[in-house]
Amino acid sequence: MDTSAERPRWRTTLVRKLTPRLQVGVEGNLAAEEYGPLVNWIAATETERTPLVTLGTSSDRIFSPKGEQAYYLTLAKGLHGTNIAPYAGLSWSTWEDRLLFPVGANVSLAPEWDFLQMYDGRNSHSLVTFKTEKANFTVMLIRMERIGLSVGIGF
């Protein structure tokens, strides 16, 4: 990411899907010499009438200090007849020692292209993702002012 802050500059994650609904892993913020847990559990899958419900943990927000963790609950629901899927959540920030209320929406632009507009409880970010069968490439506009790039590879 285009920043002098160490923590978000080089973030690497390694995640393993243990079940179709549970992923665990480790996040490394290499420039800050920091490593921490990643967990994402799908508590309920989306149905025609009910939202997707996930619980998890990861490092706190992008510019939080080293060692800070977030614990979250997220609800997401695709809007019937559209390509839009809004979400809302609760996130406990150990950095601020308080509850935050992230919201956003994903828009499927094409089968291989997504646009995500998000608010993490403090800052807004925009992401455009190109998806292939084994990789994702995301260009990020963090705080609507800093450019970042994310590459995800599946194996």
Side-chain angles (χ1 to χ4, degrees), residues 14-145:
L14 182 61
V15 178
R16 173 85 171 148
K17 186 181 276 191
L18 299 180
T19 73
R21 296 169 103 173
L22 177 65
Q23 296 181 74
V24 298
V26 64
E27 174 182 331
N29 297 304
L30 305 180
E33 298 180 0
E34 173 191 34
Y35 300 89
L38 283 174
V39 178
N40 192 26
W41 176 55
I42 299 172
T45 58
E46 181 179 357
T47 69
E48 189 176 307
R49 293 173 22 151
T50 62
L52 171 78
V53 179
T54 63
L55 294 126
T57 187
S58 67
S59 65
D60 212 327
R61 292 180 325 283
I62 293 172
F63 292 101
S64 61
K66 180 177 175 178
E68 301 298 344
Q69 197 74 9
Y71 301 91
Y72 55 84
L73 164 73
T74 305
L75 297 118
K77 179 81 173 94
L79 300 179
H80 181 70
T82 75
N83 58 347
I84 301 169
Y87 73 88
L90 302 172
S91 178
W92 181 260
S93 166
T94 63
W95 175 25
E96 294 185 286
D97 198 29
R98 65 176 287 179
L99 198 57
L100 299 172
F101 301 94
V103 295
N106 189 75
V107 179
S108 176
L109 303 172
E112 63 279 344
W113 288 96
D114 283 340
F115 170 73
L116 175 64
Q117 183 62 46
M118 61 186 301
Y119 173 71
D120 66 12
R122 288 286 188 225
N123 299 290
S124 293
H125 315 294
S126 296
L127 294 80
V128 175
T129 300
F130 177 73
K131 303 173 289 189
T132 70
E133 186 176 328
K134 293 287 187 178
N136 294 332
F137 305 91
T138 301
V139 175
M140 304 175 286
L141 185 57
I142 305 302
R143 288 186 176 164
M144 307 310 285
E145 63 188 26

